[in-house]
Amino acid sequence: MAYQAKNLSVIGYANGFTLWHYTTPDAAAAVDSGGYFNAAADMLRVGDFIFANCATAGSPAHGIFVVASNAGGAVDLADLTPFGGTDTD
């Protein structure tokens, strides 16, 4: 798949920082690849957080991405930092 603008939503904005949410059937490794969010380069800033629900059609992964770079329309995210842990009960 590819980036879908309809799946990126603002949760909050303050002091030049935006907190986003994104949901996708794409794997987290695909989402954090350079270029995935290039179509949103005009909205995303370095340091913005993106809460994410990835791989929603398979084995879901949930966590947070940080916009690591955005220059010349090329956006790159840091790897997903997962939420939660192993459920041992």
Side-chain angles (χ1 to χ4, degrees):
M1 299 249 347
Y3 165 72
Q4 297 288 314
K6 67 180 183 174
N7 294 336
L8 181 65
S9 305
V10 172
I11 296 173
Y13 171 83
N15 301 320
F17 167 83
T18 305
L19 179 61
W20 301 89
H21 177 262
Y22 187 67
T23 186
T24 182
D26 297 337
V31 175
D32 71 24
S33 295
Y36 186 92
F37 278 101
N38 285 356
D42 61 330
M43 299 185 299
L44 299 172
R45 288 184 299 270
V46 173
D48 282 358
F49 291 175
I50 303 173
F51 287 157
N53 298 94
C54 299
T56 57
S59 298
H62 316 285
I64 191 166
F65 292 111
V66 177
V67 178
S69 65
N70 182 351
V75 177
D76 192 24
L77 306 180
D79 291 348
L80 183 76
T81 299
F83 290 142
T86 304
D87 183 8
T88 60
D89 59 339

